[in-house]
Amino acid sequence: MKDIPAIRLRAMEPEDLDMLYSLENDASLWHLGMTNEPYSRYVLHDYISQSSSDIYIDKQVRMMVENERGETVGMVDLTNFNPKNLRAEVGIVIVANERQKGYGQATLVALHRYALSTLHLHQVYAVVPSDHTSCLRLFQTCGYRQTALLPTWLYDGHDYHDAVLMQHLL
């Protein structure tokens, strides 16, 4: 792997509300995940305050990504946690003006380390739109392999799109 920037994963703080609000309400990202409606500040404030940051309690964990200057450049989460099979789904978003700088790769490397050494997960996976080449390349660079094509898996409000299941054994 090429040199990647130094990052730090940290728990969400109340100060992250504006960034969380901005990312969760960015309609251009909705086709990549499960969201298809905006979230209020109130709901997101409650989400931050009620999150235990314990994957066994919440069945998910979300962390903010900070660069070497302490600036928040994105967030990453593990959702759909399955404690029996020790696996979880990865979701990652880097803010638009910080993309293509290596933060995605650095985030996945740090997340893998955390998932293995702290959470003791066996595998992580991602569901990626089949035409999202930069995202597919990121996951492949970080050791994920395509294990399934999911026809008409994602709906963007107008059309259905294929997705790819990407898996990484830790």
Side-chain angles (χ1 to χ4, degrees):
M1 284 190 235
K2 66 176 186 163
D3 287 339
I4 58 176
I7 60 104
R8 181 174 80 100
L9 300 180
R10 63 166 177 77
M12 289 184 302
E13 298 288 349
E15 296 78 18
D16 296 316
L17 179 59
D18 288 339
M19 175 169 282
L20 189 61
Y21 182 80
S22 173
L23 292 173
E24 291 289 358
N25 290 302
D26 183 348
S28 71
L29 300 174
W30 289 354
H31 72 284
L32 301 173
M34 301 300 289
T35 303
N36 63 356
E37 59 187 45
Y39 287 97
S40 70
R41 285 184 184 281
Y42 180 80
V43 167
L44 293 173
H45 177 272
D46 280 356
Y47 173 72
I48 292 172
S49 66
Q50 293 175 11
S51 174
S52 71
S53 295
D54 183 333
I55 199 167
Y56 283 91
I57 293 172
D58 299 335
K59 302 297 184 229
Q60 66 179 2
V61 64
R62 174 171 285 172
M63 294 174 283
M64 305 309 286
V65 181
E66 284 186 352
N67 66 14
E68 56 278 359
R69 295 177 301 282
E71 301 163 336
T72 305
V73 297
M75 64 185 177
V76 63
D77 51 20
L78 291 169
T79 60
N80 299 320
F81 172 60
N82 182 314
K84 178 183 178 201
N85 297 300
L86 295 172
R87 68 174 171 247
E89 183 175 354
V90 176
I92 180 173
V93 62
I94 304 298
V95 296
N97 63 331
E98 297 294 343
R99 293 181 188 149
Q100 304 301 316
K101 297 180 181 179
Y103 290 122
Q105 184 177 356
T107 298
L108 288 177
V109 168
L111 182 71
H112 295 160
R113 196 173 317 124
Y114 172 77
L116 181 61
S117 66
T118 304
L119 302 177
H120 310 292
L121 295 184
H122 170 66
Q123 71 174 288
V124 290
Y125 65 93
V127 176
V128 180
S130 63
D131 62 351
H132 197 322
T133 55
S134 62
C135 191
L136 290 168
R137 188 170 43 252
L138 168 65
F139 282 104
Q140 288 169 341
T141 298
C142 292
Y144 289 69
R145 63 186 188 91
Q146 178 179 334
T147 56
L149 176 66
L150 306 169
T152 67
W153 196 257
L154 303 170
Y155 183 65
D156 67 6
H158 302 288
D159 298 302
Y160 287 92
H161 301 275
D162 295 348
V164 174
L165 177 64
M166 305 289 293
Q167 289 179 276
H168 179 65
L169 301 180
L170 300 170

